[in-house]
Amino acid sequence: MTIVLLTISVLYALLTLLLWQSWLRIPAPKPAGLLAGGPSITVVIPVRNEAANIGALLSDLARQTYASFEVIVADDSSTDDTRLLVREAMFAFPQPLHLLSLADEPTTSPKKRAISQSIGQARGDLIITTDGDCRVGPDWLATFAAAYQQTGAKLLSGPVTFTADQTMTDRLQTVEFASLIGSGAATMALGRPTMCNGANLCYEKRVFTEVDGFAGVDHLASGDDELLMHKIARRYPDGVRFLKAKAAIVQTQPHRSWRAFYQQRRRWASKWRAYESYGPTVLAVFIFLSNLAPVLALLGWLSGFLNVSVLLGVVLLKALPEFLFLREVLVFLQKKSSVRSIPITQVLYPFYVVFFGLAAQGKGFRWKGRRLE
């Protein structure tokens, strides 16, 4: 058992160091500046009951320095004032703003349906998706347009972080989320994309149609981002990039409810079974085993089966490379204050991964007040 635990830990340390180096090598795009003949963009915002947040996002979009865009808010049967607020915003919005009201009918994937129907009406060359509770900076769209012109990427994944990191809970979520964003970015740089986030995702409308959109994965409640990215990556192996630009950072709200956090993480964790390529699946299993290793080492030490040197070896092989990597990502995301929370997160994270890895094997979860399978 000692050899197995140490082998897994060494491999994990090497993988984390590889991700760290790949992150450092991701080039920053050139400043957007004034774009001549830039691509037209359609911003797609799937929403359900976002009356508390949608006004702030639309205000951010109204202040964009890039002018060639439209916005489609796809409302999924909201029971609050979301639709009313969008209609009111239309009168003063500087660019075309459309409200798409979706039929209140059963579907296993409300978000994919919202995005697909929005793209069916979109006029932009590029589709950029975000969520109704997000905030964006004034150069958000200009930065994506410039990166698209510079790289010719078929899909650009943007950075996402949280709006607040005042409380310990906020900071723990910020560190955990940074690990996902950083890992996704680094694997894209390695030419093996694994993760992205639909709160800040850009792709060609033509390519969405070319890969047949969400066909084949539309029965899954989650995966409007990663599973689509995998389809595009299979068609265009060099066409998926990460946009490492601070002006492109999208901020979303941390969870204030542990129940909501639990349901979201179960939804995310359930996606791995739908991966068609072996790479992301193998990586997901390896990450699970790498986080299981320190848990088993701790239990082995407490039971007297392993000595303390093995426990320390497993813990340090995991913790030190992780700290180097996470610190770089958090500083880029302008969350330097959360760096000091990395050690606490590292203590909790193995138990967290093991718990959600097992919880994801169950069927069904709640999302936006609905029970989904």
Side-chain angles (χ1 to χ4, degrees), residues 32 35 39 41 126 128-129 139-151 155-159 200-203 243 247-250:
L35 296 178
I41 295 173
L126 297 181
I128 299 184
T129 62
D139 295 321
W140 181 53
L141 295 180
T143 304
F144 268 103
Y148 173 73
Q149 287 188 318
Q150 292 165 20
T151 65
L155 181 146
L156 285 164
S157 173
N200 199 9
L201 195 62
C202 170
Y203 42 86
L243 179 50
I249 294 174
V250 162

Side-chain angles (χ1 to χ4, degrees), residues 352-369:
Y352 158 91
V353 170
V354 172
F355 173 77
F356 280 105
L358 296 175
Q361 306 312 307
K363 293 184 177 180
F365 42 80
R366 296 196 65 82
W367 183 80
K368 298 287 185 178

Side-chain angles (χ1 to χ4, degrees), residues 207-229:
V207 170
F208 180 85
T209 303
E210 189 177 322
V211 301
D212 207 11
F214 299 118
V217 297
D218 49 1
H219 62 289
L220 300 165
S222 190
D224 57 278
D225 39 26
E226 289 180 15
L227 299 181
L228 176 64
M229 179 188 69

Side-chain angles (χ1 to χ4, degrees), residues 275-288:
Y275 294 157
E276 293 186 6
S277 58
Y278 289 111
T281 301
V282 171
L283 180 62
V285 173
F286 178 68
I287 295 301
F288 176 81

Side-chain angles (χ1 to χ4, degrees), residues 41 77 85 93 99 117 119 123 129 184 202 213 267 272 274 286 288 306 323 326 372:
I41 295 173
S77 306
L85 293 172
F93 204 78
L99 175 62
Q117 292 191 18
I119 292 175
R123 298 176 182 176
T129 62
C202 170
R267 181 166 59 91
W272 77 270
F286 178 68
F288 176 81
L306 297 176
F323 185 89
L326 291 173
L372 300 174

Side-chain angles (χ1 to χ4, degrees), residues 188-199:
M188 288 179 206
L190 291 168
R192 297 290 187 270
T194 56
M195 292 181 286
C196 61
N197 194 288

Side-chain angles (χ1 to χ4, degrees), residues 71-301:
V71 178
I72 299 178
V73 179
D75 180 72
D76 187 10
S77 306
S78 292
T79 56
D80 61 6
D81 290 333
T82 298
R83 289 190 297 272
L84 175 62
L85 293 172
V86 175
R87 290 192 182 101
E88 290 177 348
M90 288 179 181
F91 295 104
F93 204 78
Q95 306 296 335
L97 172 60
H98 312 284
L99 175 62
L100 175 61
S101 295
L102 303 173
D104 188 9
E105 56 188 25
T107 175
T108 57
S109 184
K111 195 172 182 181
K112 292 195 192 81
R113 179 186 64 172
I115 293 172
S116 295
Q117 292 191 18
S118 297
I119 292 175
Q121 300 186 12
R123 298 176 182 176
D125 300 316
L126 297 181
I127 304 298
I128 299 184
T129 62
T130 191
D131 295 331
D133 62 348
C134 290
R135 302 298 304 271
V136 301
D139 295 321
W140 181 53
L141 295 180
T143 304
F144 268 103
Y148 173 73
Q149 287 188 318
Q150 292 165 20
T151 65
K154 305 304 179 184
L155 181 146
L156 285 164
S157 173
V160 184
T161 189
F162 290 120
T163 53
D165 59 351
Q166 280 78 40
T167 69
M168 179 56 68
T169 303
D170 292 343
R171 288 192 288 271
L172 292 177
Q173 291 185 63
T174 297
V175 173
E176 184 250 354
F177 204 61
S179 72
L180 303 177
I181 297 299
S183 298
T187 54
M188 288 179 206
L190 291 168
R192 297 290 187 270
T194 56
M195 292 181 286
C196 61
N197 194 288
N200 199 9
L201 195 62
C202 170
Y203 42 86
E204 291 183 352
K205 178 184 176 183
R206 176 187 63 82
V207 170
F208 180 85
T209 303
E210 189 177 322
V211 301
D212 207 11
F214 299 118
V217 297
D218 49 1
H219 62 289
L220 300 165
S222 190
D224 57 278
D225 39 26
E226 289 180 15
L227 299 181
L228 176 64
M229 179 188 69
H230 293 161
K231 293 181 74 174
I232 293 175
R234 286 195 297 272
R235 181 66 64 89
Y236 296 98
D238 298 322
V240 174
R241 308 286 181 88
F242 181 77
L243 179 50
K244 192 179 178 182
K246 292 183 179 180
I249 294 174
V250 162
Q251 297 190 77
T252 188
Q253 296 182 11
H255 285 291
R256 302 301 183 188
S257 161
W258 285 110
R259 180 179 178 83
F261 178 84
Y262 169 76
Q263 294 294 339
Q264 184 192 59
R265 293 316 191 263
R266 275 198 66 188
R267 181 166 59 91
W268 287 0
S270 67
K271 288 184 286 192
W272 77 270
R273 287 175 292 183
Y275 294 157
E276 293 186 6
S277 58
Y278 289 111
T281 301
V282 171
L283 180 62
V285 173
F286 178 68
I287 295 301
F288 176 81
L289 293 176
S290 300
N291 281 278
L292 180 61
V295 176
L296 293 178
L298 176 62
L299 294 175
W301 175 68

